Amino acid sequence: APRTTVHNYQYVVVEVDCRQAGFTRDQFVELLHAENVLAKKYFSPGCHRMEPYQRLPGVASRSLPQTERLCDRLLQLPTGSAIDANDVRQIGDLLRSATSRIRRAA
């Protein structure tokens, strides 16, 4: 990013490639929830699948393959003042541990 931009870090979004990770995004969400990490599916379903957009002519039948792919792969990790550096390390460790276990099993 250019030096003139400033990030607000409102969202921490991860794209999960299930072929590389060995897990789907939804499985990561379940794993994180089991560890009391409040992760969420990011933009799932996509806004084009919700009202009021579904009512617009041609939207319901429109194919948006890249949008659908991302809607199935994006994961939002917790942020904010309730998350400290230790929490960030623990979440990272959980994700690394899960993916390395799957890779060893493969």
Side-chain angles (χ1 to χ4, degrees):
R3 292 179 188 253
T4 57
T5 62
V6 178
H7 296 283
N8 68 4
Y9 302 104
Q10 182 175 359
Y11 298 111
V12 175
V13 177
V14 175
E15 182 178 353
V16 178
D17 181 339
C18 65
R19 286 181 300 209
Q20 282 191 316
F23 268 83
T24 66
R25 183 271 320 270
D26 294 353
Q27 289 171 314
F28 268 122
V29 170
E30 289 175 22
L31 168 80
L32 292 169
H33 285 182
E35 297 292 334
N36 294 317
V37 176
L38 299 176
K40 298 190 279 187
K41 299 173 186 179
Y42 192 70
F43 282 113
S44 180
C47 59
H48 66 293
R49 297 286 178 222
M50 299 186 306
E51 292 298 339
Y53 305 105
Q54 275 291 284
R55 278 186 273 172
L56 296 174
V59 171
S61 63
R62 179 167 288 168
S63 173
L64 299 173
Q66 296 304 320
T67 300
E68 294 292 343
R69 182 182 64 79
L70 287 172
C71 288
D72 290 340
R73 292 169 64 144
L74 296 180
L75 165 70
Q76 181 182 335
L77 297 175
T79 60
S81 60
I83 305 297
D84 62 22
N86 187 53
D87 294 324
V88 171
R89 275 189 293 279
Q90 287 179 341
I91 293 168
D93 289 345
L94 282 168
L95 296 175
R96 273 189 297 279
S97 174
T99 56
S100 65
R101 278 195 314 262
I102 292 298
R103 287 185 182 131
R104 282 193 305 268

